[in-house]
Amino acid sequence: MALGNRYKTAPGAGTLAALILVLVFGSPWYSDWALENTNPDTAGGWWLRLLAWPHWSFDTDDSLRDVIVGDLKAILLVVLTALFLYLLPGSQLARARGTISQFFAGWASYIFAGGFAALLATLFLSNPSLLGAFQAAGSGASYGLFVGWIIGLATLGGWRGTR
């Protein structure tokens, strides 16, 4: 794909949207702001805190292992979003560009990516447990359910070329 191409690809647009979501809302600055300035007992406060779920940090006081495992969830979320956007066939089989199947394929890919990213990142913790992995996967899928519509909108209208 050339840089001057006038068409955006659905997986590329969805991956870019996921990367922006993780970089902006997963940043330490936003995470700290959301914890200090929102009320978790309101719908808006809960959602603003949920946006910070795949948080990442680069604290020099932590060990390298803790930094990598803590950031692994955010990295895996973006990588798995790209993978699932390529694997979900709904928007590839759509006859017209911009159909609702692209929206749902993008949304579903973010749900799956959130669940699997949390599940895989939990396995690298110092004392992983099966219950902890299941709970983390549930929180990741919940994040994908309530935030994934943004990825769905980003993929809407993307071009799916044949190779």
Side-chain angles (χ1 to χ4, degrees):
M1 183 173 109
L3 291 176
N5 193 349
R6 64 185 182 144
Y7 298 108
K8 68 177 179 171
T9 64
T15 304
L16 181 63
L19 180 65
I20 291 171
L21 279 172
V22 168
L23 285 178
V24 173
F25 295 109
S27 70
W29 304 284
Y30 177 80
S31 298
D32 293 342
W33 175 86
L35 285 175
E36 294 170 4
N37 297 310
T38 60
N39 183 1
D41 296 328
T42 64
W46 176 84
W47 195 74
L48 289 173
R49 286 176 179 226
L50 183 68
L51 281 173
W53 175 79
H55 59 274
W56 51 269
S57 65
F58 49 90
D59 192 4
T60 57
D61 295 334
D62 291 339
S63 68
L64 181 63
R65 183 183 200 291
D66 291 338
V67 170
I68 290 174
V69 169
D71 296 346
L72 185 63
K73 182 170 53 176
I75 294 167
L76 282 174
L77 181 62
V78 175
V79 171
L80 290 175
T81 299
L83 178 69
F84 286 125
L85 281 171
Y86 278 109
L87 292 179
L88 284 175
S91 54
Q92 291 174 343
L93 299 177
R95 292 187 168 198
R97 200 166 46 116
T99 60
I100 198 73
S101 68
Q102 283 182 326
F103 173 75
F104 284 120
W107 195 348
S109 69
Y110 210 57
I111 295 170
F112 293 144
F116 280 114
L119 180 73
L120 293 173
T122 302
L123 297 178
F124 290 101
L125 293 175
S126 57
N127 293 321
S129 70
L130 189 59
L131 177 62
F134 287 165
Q135 289 172 337
S139 67
S142 175
Y143 167 78
L145 179 66
F146 289 103
V147 181
W149 60 270
I150 298 170
I151 306 302
L153 286 177
T155 61
L156 192 62
W159 177 68
R160 289 280 191 165
T162 57
R163 292 181 187 220

